[in-house]
Amino acid sequence: MFFLKKIGLFAALSVATIHQASANNVTWCVYDVAGNQGDVVQLMKDYAIAAKSWGVNIQPKIYQNDEQAVQDYQAKKCDAVVASTFATKSINNFTGSIGAVGLIPNQQVAKDLFLALAHPNVEKYMVEKGQEVVGWLPVGSAYFMVKDRSLNSITELAGRRLSVVKYDPSQERMAKRVGAYPVQVTFDNVGKKFINSEVDIVAAPIYAYQPLELNKALAAKGGVINFPISYIALNFVIRQSAFPKGYGQKSRLWFKARTPQMMKNVAQWEKTLPSRYWYDIPVADRSAYQRLVSQLRKEFIQNKTYHATLLNMVFRMNCASNPDYFECK
């Protein structure tokens, strides 16, 4: 009996060894603005444990430059990449449209969208040209951060230097429509440009406040307008040929299960901004801006800058949560 037990134990260990040996070793280019100590890197540690059960061993390479992570992935130095929806828009326009100006008005709509991304009916949109979005990380709404909080009207953006993400032409179009001077930035240099007064106004999530030391730019007179401009999230993208079949949907279900906690994390990040910086703009200005970005979204749907299906999904979610919103009437 003891001999049979030893045989059984040996067989189990052999199967485990064979399974481990046959697992795919894949390299991930992982962008985290906070570097090795950031929340993205911490999430990847948990994700790597789950991926082992799907037959994949993850070897992460950490970047603090969004653009470089994507470039290395496209140069096939990595099998997968974690980067912003803006930087990965050329890889997948469906999830790349999440950052559309004025699209996601609050955290509830954002949560509904991320949960929906794991639905089997959405799977076909997650794949483009052999590349697949297998997960997401909500970072939170981007807000206008200004060096002088006496600015309290959209019309006062005219003549100011406004940061725009270089991967998103809609932001530049929006800046020009309000009379501002668009200044192209990336996530790794926007903080320096703001601190060095190369831009007057930046649109950034609160998550970036501490790692980018934005307190140096806000100082005593600066402020953050309590009005979401766009939504910032990260995409987890793989090259399908490097991963087992069916990996993508298993991964998305893993992210779906963690989405409620991710949204709680966003709420915690927003609490890190000292309350003295938050301030409001008049309701009339909010309405004027909402109508402007609504018009811009329609233009960008027509010229296929944004993915119509994604925007229509969010539109329905927004109207379900806020039927009085002007676009829903």
Side-chain angles (χ1 to χ4, degrees):
M1 180 66 70
F2 178 72
F3 178 71
L4 291 176
K5 285 183 178 179
K6 287 186 70 175
I7 292 177
L9 178 60
F10 176 77
L13 289 172
S14 298
V15 170
T17 303
I18 292 171
H19 177 75
Q20 187 174 11
S22 62
N24 291 17
N25 292 315
V26 295
T27 303
W28 283 67
C29 292
V30 180
Y31 166 70
D32 191 328
V33 67
N36 287 316
Q37 303 304 314
D39 291 87
V40 184
V41 173
Q42 297 308 309
L43 177 67
M44 281 299 298
K45 293 178 181 179
D46 294 335
Y47 181 65
I49 294 172
K52 281 189 176 182
S53 67
W54 309 327
V56 169
N57 291 324
I58 291 178
Q59 300 170 344
K61 294 171 60 178
I62 311 305
Y63 295 73
Q64 286 185 274
N65 185 308
D66 197 31
E67 188 174 17
Q68 188 62 54
V70 175
Q71 287 178 353
D72 281 4
Y73 166 74
Q74 291 176 327
K76 298 190 176 180
K77 295 180 181 179
C78 306
D79 304 297
V81 63
V82 181
S84 71
T85 57
F86 299 105
T88 57
K89 193 174 188 299
S90 61
I91 300 172
N92 186 288
N93 192 34
F94 182 78
T95 56
S97 298
I98 289 173
V101 289
L103 178 64
I104 298 178
N106 55 56
Q107 301 299 341
Q108 183 58 54
V109 173
K111 180 180 178 180
D112 292 343
L113 172 61
F114 291 121
L115 291 173
L117 294 182
H119 196 283
N121 291 346
V122 180
E123 185 172 3
K124 60 185 176 182
Y125 299 113
M126 308 302 272
V127 180
E128 289 187 18
K129 298 178 181 178
Q131 299 171 100
E132 184 174 6
V133 177
V134 300
W136 49 86
L137 177 64
V139 177
S141 298
Y143 302 91
F144 280 144
M145 299 185 179
V146 302
K147 290 200 166 188
D148 183 358
R149 58 176 172 265
S150 64
L151 187 155
N152 65 356
S153 171
I154 297 298
T155 58
E156 293 178 19
L157 293 175
R160 314 271 183 137
R161 294 166 299 174
L162 176 63
S163 73
V164 296
V165 177
K166 66 179 293 187
Y167 322 106
D168 187 7
S170 66
Q171 292 191 14
E172 186 160 340
R173 176 94 167 97
M174 180 271 291
K176 290 179 178 178
R177 284 288 295 272
V178 297
Y181 294 110
V183 179
Q184 286 193 351
V185 300
T186 56
F187 288 112
D188 62 296
N189 69 21
V190 62
K192 292 180 181 178
K193 287 181 179 291
F194 193 32
I195 292 169
N196 295 334
S197 297
E198 295 177 49
V199 293
D200 304 308
I201 305 167
V202 302
I206 305 305
Y207 178 74
Y209 171 72
Q210 290 182 333
L212 296 184
E213 300 181 311
L214 298 180
N215 60 300
K216 294 180 179 179
L218 295 175
K221 295 183 179 180
V224 179
I225 299 176
N226 191 11
F227 182 61
I229 303 303
S230 62
Y231 203 87
I232 310 299
L234 302 182
N235 271 339
F236 287 61
V237 184
I238 65 170
R239 192 172 289 106
Q240 286 182 308
S241 59
F243 289 77
K245 186 177 181 181
Y247 179 93
Q249 186 59 12
K250 290 178 183 177
S251 178
R252 286 189 291 274
L253 289 173
W254 187 89
F255 278 93
K256 178 182 179 181
R258 281 149 186 80
T259 291
Q261 182 57 50
M262 290 178 180
M263 300 308 298
K264 290 179 182 178
N265 292 343
V266 171
Q268 289 299 317
W269 294 335
E270 295 204 346
K271 291 180 181 178
T272 63
L273 182 75
S275 59
R276 68 180 183 275
Y277 286 129
W278 289 110
Y279 75 102
D280 294 310
I281 58 173
V283 174
D285 278 275
R286 287 172 174 258
S287 298
Y289 181 80
Q290 288 171 336
R291 293 181 185 281
L292 169 63
V293 296
S294 172
Q295 180 183 348
L296 289 175
R297 285 199 305 273
K298 291 173 183 177
E299 291 179 13
F300 283 106
I301 288 176
Q302 291 176 351
N303 64 21
K304 298 184 179 180
T305 297
Y306 291 148
H307 199 292
T309 303
L310 186 282
L311 266 64
N312 286 332
M313 278 178 58
V314 178
F315 176 78
R316 291 194 299 271
M317 292 171 182
N318 190 20
C319 290
S321 66
N322 184 15
D324 292 330
Y325 189 65
F326 80 95
E327 287 186 291
C328 305
K329 295 179 180 180

